[in-house]
């Protein structure tokens, strides 16, 4: 019994410890995960932890798949014009220069290094006016995850 509790407390050692922090029993479809993501942007800038937290709802996956799903969420957010990527400087969002493709390449590079916890490779996403409208509409579609 104690051995089982110890193994449970430690988690799966084949994965980074931060990948074991959420039960992955709950599965959500891609649109619901995206709705959850954009709705978080109504209250604050989106950060890497938001993307990686929600990517877990796709179900069990390898670390590489997990990172890929988080990048895919960022790709959708940027390509659909729902947010801009940038840094926080003097408590203000400062968009990165360059095209959306340039921004996506930068996010992909930041979040793809398997030796680094991607939740702390900071990029901040600020919703656009379109993104705020989409997020407000998403609130009506969100399931009760209570």
């Amino acid at each position: 019994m104690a051995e089982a509790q110890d193994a449970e407390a430690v988690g799966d050692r084949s994965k980074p410890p931060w990948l074991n922090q959420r039960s992955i029993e709950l599965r959500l479809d891609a649109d619901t995960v995206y709705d959850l993501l954009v709705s978080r942007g109504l209250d604050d800038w989106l950060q890497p932890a938001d993307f990686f937290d929600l990517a877990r709802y796709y179900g069990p996956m390898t670390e590489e798949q997990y990172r890929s799903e988080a990048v895919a969420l960022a790709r959708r957010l940027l390509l659909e014009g729902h947010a801009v990527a940038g840094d926080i400087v003097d408590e203000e969002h400062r968009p990165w220069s360059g095209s959306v493709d340039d921004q996506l390449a930068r996010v992909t590079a930041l979040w793809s290094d398997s030796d680094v916890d991607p939740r702390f490779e900071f990029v901040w996403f600020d919703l656009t006016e379109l993104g705020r409208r989409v997020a407000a509409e998403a609130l009506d579609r969100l399931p009760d995850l209570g």
Side-chain angles (χ1 to χ4, degrees), residues 36-86:
L36 286 165
L37 178 68
V38 294
S39 67
R40 286 184 179 190
L42 287 171
D43 295 327
D44 200 357
W45 296 298
L46 295 170
Q47 60 176 308
D50 293 308
F51 293 81
F52 286 91
D53 179 47
L54 294 171
R56 294 186 188 139
Y57 285 122
Y58 290 127
M61 61 187 87
T62 67
E63 180 183 351
E64 185 176 320
Q65 291 168 325
Y66 176 63
R67 289 171 184 264
S68 179
E69 292 296 346
V71 169
L73 283 168
R75 178 178 296 110
R76 181 175 174 185
L77 191 70
L78 293 171
L79 289 177
E80 293 189 12
H82 296 160
V84 293

Side-chain angles (χ1 to χ4, degrees), residues 10-21 56 61-64 66-67 114 116-119:
V10 170
D12 181 352
R13 290 186 184 266
S14 67
K15 298 177 184 170
W18 47 266
L19 192 55
N20 295 313
Q21 293 176 351
R56 294 186 188 139
M61 61 187 87
T62 67
E63 180 183 351
E64 185 176 320
Y66 176 63
R67 289 171 184 264
S114 62
V116 176
D117 184 340
R119 298 171 304 160

Side-chain angles (χ1 to χ4, degrees), residues 1 4 6-7 13 21 25 28 31 33 38 40-41 53 72 74 78 86 95 98 101 121 137-138 140 146:
M1 177 80 156
D6 288 343
R13 290 186 184 266
Q21 293 176 351
E25 294 174 10
L28 298 173
D31 288 333
V33 169
V38 294
R40 286 184 179 190
D53 179 47
L78 293 171
D101 288 338
E121 288 300 311
E137 293 168 5
D140 293 331

Side-chain angles (χ1 to χ4, degrees), residues 85-136:
D87 296 308
I88 302 299
V89 178
D90 297 328
E91 299 183 25
E92 290 185 21
H93 185 268
R94 300 284 168 91
W96 287 344
S97 61
S99 68
V100 170
D101 288 338
D102 293 338
Q103 293 179 13
L104 282 172
R106 190 169 170 184
V107 169
T108 301
L110 285 171
W111 293 356
S112 295
D113 183 348
S114 62
D115 293 328
V116 176
D117 184 340
R119 298 171 304 160
F120 301 107
E121 288 300 311
F122 282 98
V123 52
W124 301 88
F125 295 82
D126 190 24
L127 293 183
T128 61
E129 286 306 313
L130 174 61
R132 291 192 169 286
R133 287 193 303 272
V134 168

